[in-house]
Amino acid sequence: MPLERNPLFAEETPDPLLRNFTRRFAVSLVFTIPLFVLAMAHMVPGLAHVHWLDSEVARFAQFLLSLPVVLWCGAPLWKAGFQSIRRLSPNMFTLVLIGVGAAWIFSVVAVFAPGEKPALYFEAAAVITVLVLLGQILELRAREKTAGAIKSLLALSPKTARLIDAGTERDIPLTEVKPGDLLRVRPGEKIPVDGILAEGSSSIDESMLTGEAFPVEKNTGAQVTGGTLNTTGSFVMRAEHTGSETVLARIIALVSESQRSRAPVQNLADKVSAWFVPAVLGISLLTFAAWMVFDQNLPLALTNAVSVLIIACPCALGLATPMSVMVGMGRGASLGILFRNAAVMQNLARLDILAVDKTGTLTEGKPRLVRCVPAGGFGEDELLTAAASLESASEHPLARAVVNAATDRKLAPKPPSNVQTKTSLGITGTVDGRTVAVGKIEFLQNLGIPCPTLPESNATALAVGIEGRFAGFLEVADSIKSSTPEAIHELRAMGVRLVLLTGDHPRVANAVATPLGIDEVHANITPEEKHRLVAGLKSPGRIVGMAGDGINDAPALAAADVGIAMGSGTDIAIESAGVTLVKGDLRAITRAVKLSRAMMRNIRQNLAFAFAYNALGIPLAATGLLHPMIAALAMSLSSVSVITNALRLRSVRL
């Protein structure tokens, strides 16, 4: 359970809080070592009868040596303890405050009170302070390691960009780049912001986004992403997204936000802590009372009561969940899997049903025109030109396939007007003075345009109407991603039931589902129907996921327990989802599920260890079998054990 960190220092290196604790720890060691030697010297053979070790001078020296350790080095711990009492929210610092405070104050009274001189516990108070500080340092260092994913991402962004301005080139700070600026990117340089390649060509290393080791060829018009590496040619790009709008900035923000989030399982630890600390205080008082009644030894009663307080510090309990969450989130980010928050990971670990969109999820999402079937009275070029002109106003993958086909045939699409889109159904508008409609057969029929039966094909057929007449079909095909069969096999092996949801024709949907072994298929459905189907799959105790990449998938993504967006998809799909797969590869879903399950398993291990540690340690301390210093050491080691176990997530096989 770490002390609170000033958010203003969140991105500073080195961490000022860690630096502050390290300095206090070093000073505490300087004073605690001679204090410990002085207090324990009488236990060394040959020194047991040295009278000055019990003299007033020696006792006063112990007091002086303990002052800087308890009052300055331990000041942040006492401050946190007093705050917990003031807020009526007891935690580990409450126990440290009471335990160490009781031992130190008893010793101060013993030094200055007249009469009998009882045993002193200055060394116990100092050693406990040293060990608690050590535990805080180890935890802060572990948290710095878990933040490595964010630091690595920050390091990907260059500090400057080379601006082309009025025929000259000059370097400017990245913060001054604006959308529309032309930027020169030379071989070996990182791309400064998101944009479009305006001139030239190159091979881009996009491994930081996709994990793929091989560079991707980029030509004029291709999208380029800030933080990726230009490996070969020099090119000019036009900036589109800058600052916090870039893909890299959004990834950093999402990872940072998710690492600060809480998993619902953390509520268990919170509920336990709510009664745990008061219960420990009660056990400590009972221990003190019992030893006074049966042994009538005040120093021994106090020692055992303090041991109970120290051994019960719920450090491990407080660390059990957040450490695993932070490490799991960082590991996911390094794999191109971005979780919106910890609750999403907890839900994904229990995934039962995964509904998947077809285009862009199971398939490449890059359909191409395979056949043009004009109706009587229309030619292929006329049909394709009219459709491409209207579809140029749409960003749908099928629309881009039509436009690209027209470009390949060197046809000249004309600008459309009065464009109206009906999501997942079709589009209408005016092209060169004629009304044009493109979409599903049902869409054209609702417009009063009779259409013949679809031609026999496994491709998606777009019906085209011109001036109220059926003008023909455009058949567009989209191939299954090479990674999809492996991903489907792994998901099925993990016990996940798969459901295909698509707005495409049943024949096309089945052509994709059958070779993949997906039996449950819902085709020819609207976004509203997708949303309703996903909501209908949900039931108590069953977790439903939805994977998609388009605007039409956004309602279903929001309706699912876990929405999974392909990073290659639209912004609205990504904003509606709880998980974003940067690469857009379905295999990343299997890795995300495995990582989530590993994280939850890790949390359960940490919680079990924390509970077992306290269940064993408190009785030992209450019965006098643990000295406060040994209890403090055991407390620190329990935190280290939880941290070490959480860090194993960085190397878990996925």
Side-chain angles (χ1 to χ4, degrees):
M1 184 179 296
L3 292 170
E4 294 181 3
R5 177 197 306 267
N6 188 334
L8 294 176
F9 299 124
E11 299 301 334
E12 287 192 14
T13 302
D15 179 1
L17 188 60
L18 175 58
R19 190 169 59 242
N20 179 27
F21 268 72
T22 303
R23 183 169 60 249
R24 291 176 187 270
F25 174 71
V27 172
S28 67
L29 275 182
V30 169
F31 288 94
T32 299
I33 291 174
L35 170 59
F36 184 81
V37 170
L38 185 60
M40 295 297 165
H42 66 278
M43 299 178 64
V44 178
L47 297 180
H49 302 293
V50 178
H51 297 294
W52 68 266
L53 291 175
D54 290 323
S55 67
E56 291 295 324
V57 174
R59 294 166 69 87
F60 189 71
Q62 290 186 47
F63 165 70
L64 291 178
L65 288 169
S66 71
L67 276 175
V69 179
V70 174
L71 299 185
W72 183 78
C73 300
L77 310 179
W78 318 146
K79 180 180 178 182
F82 282 118
Q83 286 177 342
S84 69
I85 295 173
R86 189 175 68 250
R87 296 170 181 170
L88 299 179
S89 178
N91 54 34
M92 67 161 280
F93 297 110
T94 312
L95 301 181
V96 171
L97 172 67
I98 296 174
V100 175
W104 191 76
I105 292 172
F106 173 85
S107 300
V108 171
V109 173
V111 167
F112 294 101
E116 184 181 351
K117 301 298 182 182
L120 303 180
Y121 296 95
F122 287 123
E123 85 288 354
V127 170
I128 291 169
T129 301
V130 168
L131 291 172
V132 174
L133 286 172
L134 176 61
Q136 290 292 300
I137 290 171
L138 293 174
E139 182 178 338
L140 289 169
R141 285 182 176 173
R143 286 179 179 270
E144 277 209 329
K145 288 183 180 180
T146 64
I150 294 178
K151 291 180 179 179
S152 297
L153 290 169
L154 287 169
L156 291 172
S157 182
K159 304 300 181 187
T160 62
R162 193 163 186 80
L163 177 69
I164 300 176
D165 185 17
T168 62
E169 298 183 11
R170 58 190 174 90
D171 290 334
I172 62 172
L174 195 64
T175 53
E176 295 181 10
V177 176
K178 301 183 296 295
D181 284 349
L182 291 177
L183 308 173
R184 168 79 64 186
V185 183
R186 293 166 292 193
E189 292 182 337
K190 290 179 180 177
I191 296 172
V193 295
D194 298 354
I196 293 178
L197 201 153
E199 179 186 318
S201 61
S202 184
S203 295
I204 308 297
D205 180 355
E206 296 185 330
S207 57
M208 74 96 172
L209 281 177
T210 66
E212 292 292 340
F214 299 103
V216 179
E217 295 296 325
K218 299 280 186 176
N219 297 305
T220 302
Q223 294 280 342
V224 290
T225 305
T228 56
L229 179 66
N230 178 28
T231 62
T232 54
S234 173
F235 62 85
V236 176
M237 63 171 288
R238 179 176 289 104
E240 281 193 326
H241 301 293
T242 62
S244 62
E245 298 301 317
T246 64
V247 170
L248 181 59
R250 288 163 61 188
I251 289 174
I252 293 170
L254 189 57
V255 173
S256 179
E257 176 189 345
S258 64
Q259 285 195 332
R260 292 193 301 269
S261 64
R262 292 162 51 89
V265 72
Q266 175 68 24
N267 295 333
L268 172 62
D270 292 343
K271 290 177 181 177
V272 171
S273 295
W275 61 260
F276 178 77
V277 174
V280 168
L281 291 173
I283 294 172
S284 178
L285 289 174
L286 285 175
T287 300
F288 179 81
W291 279 95
M292 286 298 296
V293 169
F294 295 107
D295 196 87
Q296 298 182 356
N297 185 330
L298 177 62
L300 186 58
L302 180 64
T303 298
N304 294 336
V306 168
S307 294
V308 169
L309 293 174
I310 299 304
I311 194 69
C313 283
C315 308
L317 189 61
L319 286 171
T321 298
M323 282 303 302
S324 297
V325 168
M326 291 183 68
V327 178
M329 294 289 186
R331 177 72 190 281
S334 69
L335 296 172
I337 304 168
L338 307 178
F339 299 94
R340 188 171 296 278
N341 53 49
V344 169
M345 284 191 86
Q346 184 168 337
N347 279 336
L348 192 60
R350 299 163 47 218
L351 185 68
D352 297 299
I353 301 173
L354 179 64
V356 293
D357 176 49
K358 179 179 70 67
T359 305
T361 304
L362 299 180
T363 64
E364 293 287 352
K366 299 176 182 177
R368 57 187 181 85
L369 185 70
V370 294
R371 193 158 66 128
C372 188
V373 186
F378 294 92
E380 282 194 22
D381 287 354
E382 179 186 10
L383 174 66
L384 184 55
T385 300
S389 298
L390 183 59
E391 294 284 27
S392 65
S394 172
E395 290 298 319
H396 194 280
L398 297 181
R400 290 197 293 269
V402 173
V403 174
N404 291 338
T407 302
D408 292 341
R409 295 193 184 192
K410 300 198 174 359
L411 301 177
K414 299 172 183 177
S417 59
N418 303 320
V419 176
Q420 293 185 352
T421 301
K422 185 70 172 176
T423 305
S424 291
L425 291 176
I427 185 171
T428 62
T430 302
V431 176
D432 200 20
R434 298 192 297 175
T435 59
V436 178
V438 181
K440 294 181 177 181
I441 289 179
E442 296 86 349
F443 179 66
L444 265 65
Q445 289 174 337
N446 289 337
L447 295 174
I449 303 174
C451 298
T453 305
L454 280 168
E456 287 299 322
S457 171
N458 289 333
T460 300
L462 297 174
V464 182
I466 300 177
E467 286 291 279
R469 294 171 53 205
F470 174 70
F473 286 114
L474 298 174
E475 293 188 359
V476 179
D478 188 11
S479 58
I480 296 174
K481 292 178 180 178
S482 59
S483 60
T484 297
E486 178 187 345
I488 296 294
H489 174 74
E490 287 191 25
L491 286 167
R492 191 175 285 110
M494 287 189 287
V496 178
R497 170 183 154 202
L498 293 157
V499 179
L500 176 59
L501 306 180
T502 178
D504 218 331
H505 192 277
R507 182 176 58 255
V508 179
N510 287 322
V512 171
T514 301
L516 294 175
I518 301 176
D519 300 324
E520 190 170 347
V521 178
H522 299 271
N524 206 22
I525 57 177
T526 64
E528 292 79 10
E529 290 170 330
K530 276 189 181 182
H531 176 277
R532 188 165 57 251
L533 282 166
V534 169
L537 290 170
K538 295 166 66 176
S539 64
R542 189 163 66 180
I543 299 297
V544 177
M546 169 69 195
D549 73 332
I551 293 175
N552 59 326
D553 297 318
L557 289 170
D561 294 306
V562 182
I564 304 169
M566 300 297 167
S568 54
T570 60
D571 288 345
I572 189 170
I574 293 172
E575 289 299 320
S576 302
V579 182
T580 299
L581 309 179
V582 174
K583 185 180 176 182
D585 184 340
L586 203 64
R587 285 177 301 187
I589 294 182
T590 67
R591 287 193 285 270
V593 173
K594 289 178 181 177
L595 177 59
S596 297
R597 291 180 177 178
M599 184 196 79
M600 291 306 301
R601 188 163 55 248
N602 194 273
I603 288 174
R604 285 191 289 269
Q605 291 168 352
N606 285 347
L607 288 173
F609 176 80
F611 286 132
Y613 161 81
N614 288 121
L616 178 64
I618 291 175
L620 290 176
T623 53
L625 297 177
L626 284 179
H627 188 275
M629 288 187 293
I630 303 300
L633 179 60
M635 177 196 68
S636 297
L637 290 176
S638 71
S639 297
V640 172
S641 299
V642 166
I643 292 170
T644 302
N645 189 48
L647 290 175
R648 290 195 308 110
L649 286 172
R650 299 170 68 184
S651 57
V652 67
R653 293 186 62 183
L654 301 175

